[in-house]
Amino acid sequence: MGKDKDKNSVVLKVPKGTKDWDGKDMVIRDKIFSTITQVFKRHGAVTIDTPVFELKDVLTGKYGEDSKLIYDLKDQGGEICSLRYDLTVPFARWLAMNSSIQNIKRYHIAKVYRRDQPAMTKGRMREFYQCDFDIAGTYDAMLPDAEILRITCEIFEALGWKGRYTIKLNHRKILDGIFQVCGVPEDKLRTISSAVDKLDKSPWEEVRREMTEDKGLDGEVADRIGEYAVLKGGRDLLEKLQNNATLSANESAKQGLADLDLLFTYLKSFSVLDRVSFDLSLARGLDYYTGLIYEVITEGSAPQTKEGQDLQRAGKKEAKPNKGPTNIDGDEDRSNDPSVGVGSVAAGGRYDNLVSDFSKKQQIPCVGISFGVERIFSITKQRLAADKTAAPIRTNEVDVYVMAFGGKGFEGLLAERMDVAKRLWDAGIKAEFSWKVKPKLPQQFKAAEVNGVPFAVILGDDELAAGKCKIKEMGLAGDHPEKDGVLVEMKDLVEEVRARLAKKEEVEMLADGVNGMGVEEGAREAAKTG
């Protein structure tokens, strides 16, 4: 918006990096919430909630270089606070304050805040939801970690992604071991790890420049790291590293490799081994990770245009999009920047020392994952737009539209429509009717069709006089025998509507089952072949 000449007027806009949600977007987002929550509950999780802001000291020193993205709040009464950056650190703080809880499966769905460069249409925002699942407690190695990855696959399959995603994983102890054998000083381990973590966004040349010029690492050490950082694979890569005498002699790397060996065995049992990629470029920049780390990517995670991919490879810091802002800074929306992708849609790892950072009296090992709802939404919306067979998105869940018609002298049957709607509501059936006293029939049908209402109950003077009404399923083909509806006794209306709704739901569930059969068969085949 331009500068307003009237200093007393308010310029109506949302802050940069935020948006209002309404209509079909809310329907899609709520469906994502519901799907994720169902999987969390299936695995025995309970939910908690924490304040949207924390004492600044609680958040300080937990996020490495990303700490600069924290929103600080003005002193409002003697306490210096900041908006929460994620849901993990508040969870660890909560555990430290509730010492009687030594183990828990917890999920938390809430907004977090980061002063990052936004790309709104790609789900990269400053205010966004995270859906976290964490397992806290002392258990045998890699069992909770394996279940987290199984949960991840269940969620993306339930969202209809049908295998179009990859879980990249690595291990902080393997990384530390690699850095140590390559000659990285101990005081530079975390900062070099943060540089390596940028390999999904920048070419090796740019990462090497940051290591050497910005962070003072010896060039030969950086080159040795580069030989490892480009490696990715599965069990083949794990075995290659286990057979590397130099790496296996390092205690940190040895322990990390043993963890992954055990994890791969468990992932095979869970039929999700084919979904993971062991990727040594994955580092996860946050300081609190201590073991296994992972993130989920899909085809929208990277730039989708060749121009964007070329820009990344060239290591340019600023893109020159054809449309939108040409001067990219910390406040501009980069949605039209072809070098920006959606990024990872979920990420997490093991953090065994975070609770003890808050309470020296106890150490509670933890492992978890966070799903970025806005990024998942961005990908889901793109796929729905491209899928011509996708069912239309309904903005409400009304099952029945009560309508009336008549000839000359028609008075609208308002009292009768209200009575039928009341009967349906009393029975727990979602219903609507026109708020016009004398509505026209085409307008009533249009209102039902716009919202995708599956059934209409149609009232007429003659039918009512006979104690009957008509139930019509919307959208039937012209030659369908019930195209014009079916007469039913008014006294049986509720039971008839329930039966038809149940039958329609059964048909839709059967269709969903047929569509998903390939995924299930694929999982079984993967289990057979390992």
Side-chain angles (χ1 to χ4, degrees):
M1 290 187 180
K3 187 176 180 181
D4 201 303
K5 295 181 180 179
D6 185 355
K7 294 182 179 180
N8 295 321
S9 66
V10 177
V11 178
L12 294 179
K13 63 184 290 292
V14 296
K16 292 183 178 70
T18 67
K19 65 172 287 186
D20 293 321
W21 292 80
D22 56 25
K24 293 181 179 180
D25 285 357
M26 279 296 294
V27 175
I28 296 172
R29 194 177 74 170
D30 285 350
K31 177 63 175 176
I32 293 170
F33 283 144
S34 174
T35 301
I36 292 175
T37 301
Q38 287 174 12
V39 177
F40 287 167
K41 290 181 177 180
R42 184 187 306 154
H43 286 262
V46 297
T47 190
I48 70 168
D49 195 14
T50 62
V52 73
F53 52 90
E54 296 274 351
L55 294 176
K56 183 176 181 179
D57 289 346
V58 168
L59 305 182
T60 300
K62 307 300 189 300
Y63 302 110
E65 294 183 1
D66 284 352
S67 293
K68 63 181 180 292
L69 304 180
I70 294 174
Y71 273 106
D72 290 332
L73 302 178
K74 186 177 181 180
D75 179 5
Q76 293 286 342
E79 292 185 330
I80 307 300
C81 298
S82 299
L83 291 176
R84 61 188 172 203
Y85 176 92
D86 67 3
L87 302 178
T88 304
V89 171
F91 174 54
R93 189 265 306 154
W94 179 84
L95 282 171
M97 292 179 62
N98 293 271
S99 57
S100 62
I101 299 173
Q102 293 297 304
N103 56 74
I104 186 175
K105 281 183 178 179
R106 151 274 196 189
Y107 75 91
H108 189 185
I109 299 177
K111 288 182 177 179
V112 299
Y113 300 85
R114 300 180 186 179
R115 197 186 184 283
D116 203 353
Q117 286 181 276
M120 299 296 291
T121 63
K122 298 174 183 179
R124 301 169 72 102
M125 303 170 69
R126 289 179 169 180
E127 177 191 64
F128 56 95
Y129 272 99
Q130 286 188 335
C131 297
D132 278 25
F133 184 100
D134 293 81
I135 301 173
T138 302
Y139 302 99
D140 286 345
M142 306 315 292
L143 282 168
D145 310 65
E147 184 164 351
I148 292 282
L149 297 181
R150 167 69 193 191
I151 288 167
T152 301
C153 291
E154 286 184 20
I155 284 174
F156 285 109
E157 292 302 335
L159 289 170
W161 287 33
K162 299 180 180 179
R164 290 180 291 176
Y165 59 94
T166 299
I167 304 174
K168 293 167 56 177
L169 58 83
N170 200 357
H171 199 294
R172 270 290 174 85
K173 291 184 178 179
I174 296 175
L175 272 176
D176 286 351
I178 290 173
F179 294 157
Q180 288 166 0
V181 300
C182 289
V184 178
E186 285 293 322
D187 62 347
K188 292 185 181 294
L189 289 181
R190 288 283 72 84
T191 185
I192 296 303
S193 181
S194 295
V196 171
D197 192 49
K198 297 174 183 175
L199 279 171
D200 64 332
K201 307 177 188 72
S202 303
W204 166 249
E205 291 77 14
E206 174 61 22
V207 172
R208 184 186 187 280
R209 187 208 60 75
E210 179 180 332
M211 287 180 177
T212 56
E213 295 182 19
D214 297 348
K215 299 181 175 178
L217 190 67
D218 183 88
E220 292 184 5
V221 174
D223 291 337
R224 286 195 288 268
I225 292 173
E227 293 176 6
Y228 285 101
V230 297
L231 300 176
K232 63 182 66 177
R235 273 202 177 275
D236 55 338
L237 176 56
L238 177 63
E239 292 170 359
K240 177 180 178 180
L241 297 178
Q242 287 174 322
N243 293 328
N244 183 315
T246 303
L247 200 58
S248 296
N250 178 275
E251 192 58 35
S252 177
K254 183 179 179 180
Q255 185 175 346
L257 292 169
D259 279 349
L260 280 196
D261 199 354
L262 190 58
L263 176 70
F264 283 177
T265 299
Y266 295 153
L267 294 182
K268 181 178 180 181
S269 297
F270 280 156
S271 299
V272 296
L273 184 58
D274 62 325
R275 296 261 46 91
V276 305
S277 170
F278 179 19
D279 191 330
L280 288 179
S281 70
L282 178 65
R284 303 290 298 146
L286 303 182
D287 280 357
Y288 54 65
Y289 289 124
T290 59
L292 181 71
I293 50 176
Y294 34 79
E295 66 180 28
V296 183
I297 60 170
T298 185
E299 71 270 11
S301 295
Q304 296 181 341
T305 66
K306 183 178 185 301
E307 180 186 3
Q309 293 161 0
D310 289 344
L311 282 168
Q312 275 198 327
R313 281 192 291 268
K316 292 184 179 180
K317 294 182 179 180
E318 291 190 357
K320 296 181 179 179
N322 295 326
K323 299 178 181 179
T326 56
N327 183 20
I328 299 171
D329 60 31
D331 284 334
E332 294 294 342
D333 183 349
R334 297 183 297 162
S335 293
N336 293 322
D337 181 350
S339 70
V340 177
V342 170
S344 62
V345 291
R350 175 160 287 279
Y351 52 103
D352 288 343
N353 300 327
L354 192 52
V355 176
S356 62
D357 285 348
F358 293 121
S359 173
K360 304 303 179 184
K361 298 178 181 178
Q362 60 178 336
Q363 180 172 7
I364 302 178
C366 300
V367 63
I369 189 166
S370 178
F371 296 84
V373 174
E374 278 75 13
R375 295 184 181 189
I376 293 172
F377 166 85
S378 176
I379 297 290
T380 301
K381 189 174 182 179
Q382 291 173 18
R383 289 176 176 173
L384 286 173
D387 184 1
K388 303 304 180 184
T389 64
I393 298 170
R394 298 179 58 192
T395 56
N396 65 35
E397 297 182 4
V398 171
D399 291 321
V400 179
Y401 199 97
V402 181
M403 56 183 71
F405 73 100
K408 187 176 180 180
F410 176 60
E411 293 297 323
L413 298 175
L414 177 59
E416 291 80 0
R417 285 185 287 129
M418 293 175 70
D419 180 67
V420 168
K422 180 186 74 69
R423 289 176 58 189
L424 295 172
W425 294 334
D426 288 345
I429 296 170
K430 306 180 188 77
E432 278 188 332
F433 64 95
S434 172
W435 288 342
K436 287 185 175 293
V437 174
K438 297 180 182 180
K440 295 180 179 179
L441 191 60
Q443 293 174 342
Q444 296 174 84
F445 271 112
K446 183 177 181 180
E449 290 168 354
V450 165
N451 288 321
V453 179
F455 290 95
V457 171
I458 305 174
L459 309 180
D461 288 324
D462 293 342
E463 290 81 1
L464 287 172
K468 296 182 178 182
C469 65
K470 188 176 285 187
I471 298 179
K472 172 180 168 57
E473 182 173 354
M474 305 290 285
L476 294 178
D479 58 352
H480 195 283
E482 296 185 359
K483 169 67 177 175
D484 296 324
V486 178
L487 277 174
V488 300
E489 297 288 335
M490 182 64 78
K491 63 182 177 62
D492 299 329
L493 173 62
V494 169
E495 288 73 19
E496 291 284 352
V497 168
R498 280 178 172 162
R500 281 164 172 76
L501 287 172
K503 182 178 179 181
K504 186 174 182 64
E505 182 179 0
E506 183 180 345
V507 170
E508 289 174 350
M509 288 179 64
L510 181 61
D512 288 343
V514 170
N515 291 335
M517 192 175 295
V519 174
E520 294 299 322
E521 290 176 349
R524 286 196 291 271
E525 287 302 312
K528 292 177 185 177
T529 60

